[in-house]
Amino acid sequence: MRTVEEHQAVVAALLEQLPEEQVELTAAHGRVLARDVRAAVALPGFDNSAMDGYAARWDELAELPARLPVADDIPAGRTDVRPLEPGTVQRIMTGAPLPAGADVVVPVELTDRATDVVTIHETPDKGTHVRTAGEDIAEGSVALAAGTPLGASQLGLAAAVGVTTLPVRRRPRVLVLSTGSELVEPGQPLRPGQIYESNSMLLVAAVEDAGGEARRLHFVPDDVEAFLTTLRAELDSADLLLTSGGVSAGAYEVVKDALSGLGTVEFVKVGMQPGGPQGAGTVDGVPIVTLPGNPVSSFVSFEVFVRPALRRALGHANPDRLRAPARLTASLTSPAGKRQFLRGRYDGGLVSQVGGPGSHLVAHLARANCLVVVPEDVTELPEGAEVDVVLIEGALQ
């Protein structure tokens, strides 16, 4: 039996880091930087005011109240700011350039707000409310490091330092195929013994959440020739093939039956629950990962094996989900020799199990926001015991 870590390494080795492409900022949201990006300008680019108030010379405010003529107004965006004459102040707005000679900004609340001769009642320390050029980031320094996921704040920084395009890793193209003669398209009438196909919807969303581009192939019945024909017709458009179902030890396991003869896909048992039966390899040189068919098994297998491999190929510096310690709200049991991934609800350092361990309980999966990890050598945990939880997104709140 293969360990979880061994199979993770096998799947990760199938996917090489994806090539780089240059994209506009408007198309970069959710992508991952391929190279460091340096600031084209400093932030701030010039000394400026952090408050609405009056730019002044601090040593001229030793005796209070002080009355000084207002020599000029400096709104944000002004480009022709005059130096500050001794014995005067200039009214200044937040973000406006600080006039040469000023070393303090007196907030308007500490004055009588006059526009000709202002009376200053209090003064802050020297240098207060002054943003100095380059204090946030210096020109030419690394603004965003390779491996950084590009969210709202990262794209805001890129724009602020004058960058117009970003080098990112191409998104992996993943084909998703479910198998099973019992599957029916949602919305169609069910006959006895049939179920609605849901795994492809689940896996397509999971791939996209991980940063990939997923395309759902029409699910196929338990027919080896139909499976191989459907698969091979789409190989040229894929970086990864992802199947669900047909990999267990029983009869009519179409994925296993079709791919075992190729000699390039290995089917194994992994010491985990749910998700024991797994497969990985290549079909005509294209990586393939075969997941079990029960919805919870398929989801957990994707989370444990496929998601980190996709994110690593995308260039993520930290491809794994966030983890947190938590205390159990109730006792639990776990089979010996298998790492258990239980559905849970994590809240404020506590975690409660959601539903039983059954791999068909998809309604319970939809209510979970974490996976509770129970090591292979642990069979019982009491209420209050500390466990490791994997925080998953997209759960109901």
Side-chain angles (χ1 to χ4, degrees):
M1 188 175 288
R2 185 176 281 175
T3 68
V4 170
E5 287 75 17
E6 287 169 345
H7 196 62
Q8 283 175 327
V10 168
V11 174
L14 292 174
L15 292 171
E16 297 180 350
Q17 197 163 71
L18 292 156
E20 177 185 321
E21 61 184 9
Q22 202 81 12
V23 300
E24 300 287 334
L25 256 62
T26 52
H29 185 232
R31 305 294 290 274
V32 182
L33 271 186
R35 289 181 287 109
D36 291 351
V37 172
R38 296 185 178 275
V41 297
L43 289 181
F46 48 86
D47 293 349
N48 68 85
S49 176
M51 298 283 286
D52 293 338
Y54 297 84
R57 297 175 185 270
W58 184 79
D59 58 8
E60 294 180 351
L61 306 177
E63 295 185 14
L64 296 175
R67 285 175 52 80
L68 294 166
V70 180
D72 207 352
D73 262 5
I74 315 174
R78 183 168 174 179
T79 59
D80 59 344
V81 176
R82 297 183 298 169
L84 181 65
E85 298 281 346
T88 69
V89 296
Q90 293 185 28
R91 195 168 67 141
I92 192 168
M93 305 301 127
T94 302
L98 195 73
D103 54 12
V104 69
V105 172
V106 180
V108 67
E109 294 85 354
L110 303 183
T111 73
D112 66 357
R113 303 171 182 261
T115 58
D116 49 359
V117 177
V118 66
T119 300
I120 296 173
H121 303 291
E122 298 179 47
T123 183
D125 293 337
K126 189 175 185 178
T128 301
H129 307 311
V130 173
R131 302 165 176 163
T132 59
E135 73 174 40
D136 190 10
I137 189 168
E139 180 181 352
S141 64
V142 174
L144 296 166
T148 298
L150 297 170
S153 58
Q154 291 77 26
L155 292 176
L157 172 59
V161 297
V163 173
T164 59
T165 63
L166 290 169
V168 298
R169 295 287 170 194
R170 180 173 62 74
R171 297 176 69 189
R173 300 175 299 237
V174 182
L175 296 180
V176 176
L177 176 63
S178 295
T179 64
S181 295
E182 76 279 15
L183 302 179
V184 175
E185 187 76 28
Q188 299 300 313
L190 289 175
R191 298 174 63 185
Q194 293 183 327
I195 61 172
Y196 287 126
E197 196 280 322
S198 61
N199 279 2
S200 65
M201 184 65 67
L202 180 154
L203 291 172
V204 163
V207 168
E208 292 173 347
D209 178 69
E213 293 178 347
R215 188 156 64 86
R216 175 179 176 264
L217 299 183
H218 193 277
F219 54 86
V220 299
D222 293 327
D223 181 280
V224 167
E225 289 305 317
F227 173 78
L228 285 175
T229 299
T230 302
L231 212 57
R232 283 191 158 126
E234 305 286 348
L235 286 180
D236 290 345
S237 63
D239 297 305
L240 174 68
L241 305 173
L242 193 60
T243 70
S244 66
V247 296
S248 295
Y252 306 106
E253 301 295 340
V254 63
V255 175
K256 197 172 186 179
D257 294 343
L259 301 181
S260 292
L262 300 180
T264 55
V265 182
E266 185 180 14
F267 294 92
V268 298
K269 289 282 189 181
V270 177
M272 63 185 283
Q273 190 180 50
Q278 300 286 338
T282 61
V283 175
D284 299 347
V286 178
I288 184 169
V289 177
T290 68
L291 307 178
N294 275 316
V296 178
S297 298
S298 196
F299 175 81
V300 170
S301 299
F302 180 91
E303 284 287 322
V304 174
F305 302 119
V306 183
R307 189 178 197 277
L310 286 176
R311 286 167 61 83
R312 195 172 286 108
L314 272 165
H316 279 272
N318 299 296
D320 297 322
R321 290 278 199 193
L322 292 176
R323 291 181 173 237
R327 297 202 174 274
L328 291 171
T329 60
S331 62
L332 61 80
T333 60
S334 181
K338 292 185 178 181
R339 188 174 307 176
Q340 191 84 200
F341 293 91
L342 301 170
R343 285 135 288 178
R345 287 291 301 181
Y346 174 81
D347 184 19
L350 299 176
V351 65
S352 54
Q353 188 175 343
V354 177
S359 57
H360 63 295
L361 301 175
V362 69
H364 292 107
L365 176 64
R367 291 192 287 271
N369 66 2
C370 72
L371 296 175
V372 181
V373 184
V374 184
E376 291 87 338
D377 58 350
V378 174
T379 57
E380 289 185 65
L381 287 169
E383 178 184 345
E386 186 173 286
V387 291
D388 190 29
V389 301
V390 180
L391 303 177
I392 58 176
E393 299 142 0
L396 297 176
Q397 297 300 315

